[in-house]
Every structure is written in C-alpha cells, then in structure tokens.
C-alpha cells in the first residue's frame, strides 16, 4: 500500500515541479525576477540569484522525483522549497495580496485558491518524506526448530 | 503620373508624420512618446498600499529615466478594486483632474495622503488640496459627471480584458511581446528588465 502511495506521490509531485520549472524557463528570467521581487523579502542581488537558479533547481527535483532516484534527498528538498514558498505566500496574502504568485509563470495572483493548492502540495511532499524516512517494520522471525525435533533434510 | 506623384507625396507625409515624436501632455494619464520602443500600461488603485509603494518608489524614477528619455510610453489606468470603499471615488477625481491637465499632481497627492482619506473618506478634500479654488470647483463637478464615470469604467473594462487580477499590474509591451507584471516591483529590478528589452 505504502509503496503504491509513494509511487503516486512522487510522480504527481515530480510532474508538478517539472511543469513549474518549464513555465519559468520558457519566459525571460527577469520576468520571474519581478515576480520574486514583488514579495519584497529579498534584496535585488538575491532576487536575481534566485530567479536564475530556482527554475533549474525545481527541474532537478522534479526529474529526481519522477525517476525515483535519490528519493531520500529529493523528497525533503521538495518539502523545504514548498515550506519556503508557502511561508512567503501567507505573508503576502496577510499583507493584502495583489502580487503575482510566480508559481507557474506569470498572471496568477496570490489568493486563497493558490494557498489551498500549495498547502495540498506541501502536505503531499511532507507525506512522501515521512514515507521515505519512517523506520522499516522488522520482518517476521524465521521458524525456530524445537529441541528434539529434527529439521527436515 | 499625377496619381503616382500624389501617392508618393502621401507616403512621404506619412513617414515624416510617423517619425515625429509626439509627447503626451505631462498633465495627462499617458506620458512620453507614443512611438517609444516600450509601452507600459499601469493598472492602479489609489487605495491600495502596493500601488502607493510602486508609485513612490518605482514609477517616479521610471518617468525620470525612461519616459522623459523617450524609451517608455507610460499609460496610467484606473483599476479601483471593489474591496476598497473609496478607490472608485479617488479614480474619478484623478480622471477629472486630467481634464484640467492636473492628473499627475492630483494622483501624487492622492497617494501621498492615502492613509488619511482611507480612514475619513474625504477623497475630494485630499484631491482638491493641491488645486486652486477654481480648479477644485471644476474637478468636484467633473468627478460626478457621467463622462468621467465612463472613463473610469472603460479603464476597468480594459483591465478585465487584459485579465488583470490584482493591483498594481503593469503590462509591459515591446512589439508583439507582452509581459504582465503584478505587484510592487522595485526600480532596480524593473530597470534591468527594461534595459534587457531595449538591448
């Protein structure tokens, strides 16, 4: 059951990350920089650095999740990114919104809908991380022969 | 032969007319040269804090460095949000001020005194405080006229057509490429983007 759930979660999250990266990479990086800048949490030099690197990071995480490689690192990395995004979005929403979410390209304002969607994605990635790191159940112990009863040869 | 000469003269007249810079009036909603390589349509709400921030920190230097230099044609549009009780009235006063060539002056004042009129609702007082008694009387009458109401509603319709979903929103256009930018973008970041488009 948990193997199937892990499979579904990693494929869904991986595709979302790949799509998010694609929507950012298909437009000039400075357009994404303006979306980040509108949150007003980073100085310009950091805005430029994040705008150049974040889409590629999302793409790398997405590919790792879809392929199932290095899942122990990709799942927490996805969770960490989503926690940061979610915190920034809540801050922007509490301040009155009116800014571009920047989640999937441009043209989508931060709203209750985007918060619900990113909250769901964050929950999925946290669950995936939990499934990857939870302690494995010990296997059933092998049958032990009782004294005096010879094992079949 | 006469016909060919007439067509040639029409063509030459057209070229010379197109090449002539036509700067929009400084007191109007549109600023700069309409033939500038970049056009920015700015959808703004006078009661929105992000719009105030953008106006004071980004639009002012933008006008100074790019609009005056003929690189950007800036069209300011009203987009009062329904959640802001006095935003529509403020937009009407700003549009009324445009009719007497004082749009920028009144717009600056509305943003500067946003905190005050947002609380007491005295938009007219804030808008008229930078005008003479005669001008104040004029815009008080104009602000409630159907003509101004139509102007504001036309801007709102244009914003809806552009799928504006928050304020401030800038629609940056270069040739056929359009980039909607929502939120209070800082001047250094916007400047770098505009320079990349110009180069």
């Amino acid at each position: 059951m948990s193997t199937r759930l892990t499979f579904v979660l990693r494929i869904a999250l991986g595709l979302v990350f790949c799509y998010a990266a694609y929507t950012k990479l298909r437009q000039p990086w400075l357009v994404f920089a303006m979306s980040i800048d509108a949150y007003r949490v980073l100085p310009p030099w950091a805005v430029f650095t994040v705008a150049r690197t974040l889409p590629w990071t999302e793409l790398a995480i997405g590919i790792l999740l879809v392929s199932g490689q290095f899942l122990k690192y990709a799942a927490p990395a996805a969770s960490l990114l989503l926690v940061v995004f979610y915190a920034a979005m809540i801050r922007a929403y509490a301040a009155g919104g009116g800014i571009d979410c920047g989640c999937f390209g441009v043209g989508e304002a931060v709203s209750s809908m985007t918060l619900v969607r990113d909250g769901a994605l964050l929950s999925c990635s946290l669950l995936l991380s939990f499934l990857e790191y939870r302690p494995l159940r010990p296997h059933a112990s092998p049958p032990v022969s009782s004294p005096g009863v010879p094992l079949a040869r | 032969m006469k016909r060919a000469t007439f067509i040639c003269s029409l063509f030459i007249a057209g070229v010379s007319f197109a090449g002539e810079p036509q700067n929009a009036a400084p007191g109007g909603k549109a600023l700069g040269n309409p033939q500038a390589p970049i056009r920015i349509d700015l959808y703004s709400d006078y009661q929105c804090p992000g719009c105030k921030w953008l106006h004071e920190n980004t639009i002012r230097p933008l006008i100074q460095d790019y609009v005056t230099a003929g690189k950007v044609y800036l069209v300011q549009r009203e987009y009062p949000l329904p959640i802001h009780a006095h935003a529509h009235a403020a937009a009407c006063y700003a549009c009324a001020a445009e009719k007497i060539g004082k749009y920028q002056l009144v717009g600056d004042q509305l943003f500067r005194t946003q905190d005050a009129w947002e609380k007491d609702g005295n938009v007219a007082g804030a808008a008229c405080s930078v005008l003479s008694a005669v001008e104040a009387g004029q815009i008080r009458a104009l602000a409630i006229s159907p003509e101004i109401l139509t102007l504001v509603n036309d801007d709102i319709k244009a914003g809806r057509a552009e799928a504006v979903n928050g304020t401030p929103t800038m629609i940056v256009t270069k040739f056929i490429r359009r980039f909607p930018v929502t939120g209070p973008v800082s001047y250094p970041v916007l400047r770098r983007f505009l320079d990349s488009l110009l180069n």
Side-chain angles (χ1 to χ4, degrees), chain B residues 91-159:
Chain B
C92 287
Y93 273 94
C95 284
E98 193 205 6
K99 292 286 172 192
I100 59 164
K102 296 286 169 76
Y103 181 81
Q104 297 303 325
L105 186 68
V106 170
D108 283 353
Q109 180 66 4
L110 284 171
F111 277 127
R112 198 179 303 125
T113 57
Q114 188 192 70
D115 292 340
W117 60 260
E118 187 181 25
K119 283 175 194 149
D120 61 20
N122 187 11
V123 180
C128 296
S129 63
V130 284
L131 302 173
S132 68
V134 177
E135 289 169 338
Q138 281 178 314
I139 75 158
R140 275 180 199 274
L142 279 167
I144 51 169
S145 70
E147 181 197 0
I148 295 300
L149 201 62
T150 308
L151 279 178
V152 173
N153 288 340
D154 285 349
D155 275 356
I156 296 170
K157 276 182 200 162

Side-chain angles (χ1 to χ4, degrees), chain A residues 9 14 26 43 54 57 61 68 95 100 113 117-118 120 134 140:
Chain A
L9 286 174
R26 73 177 175 175
L54 185 61
T57 310
I61 291 173
D100 206 278
M113 278 303 293
R117 186 191 61 204
D118 274 45
R134 72 181 172 159

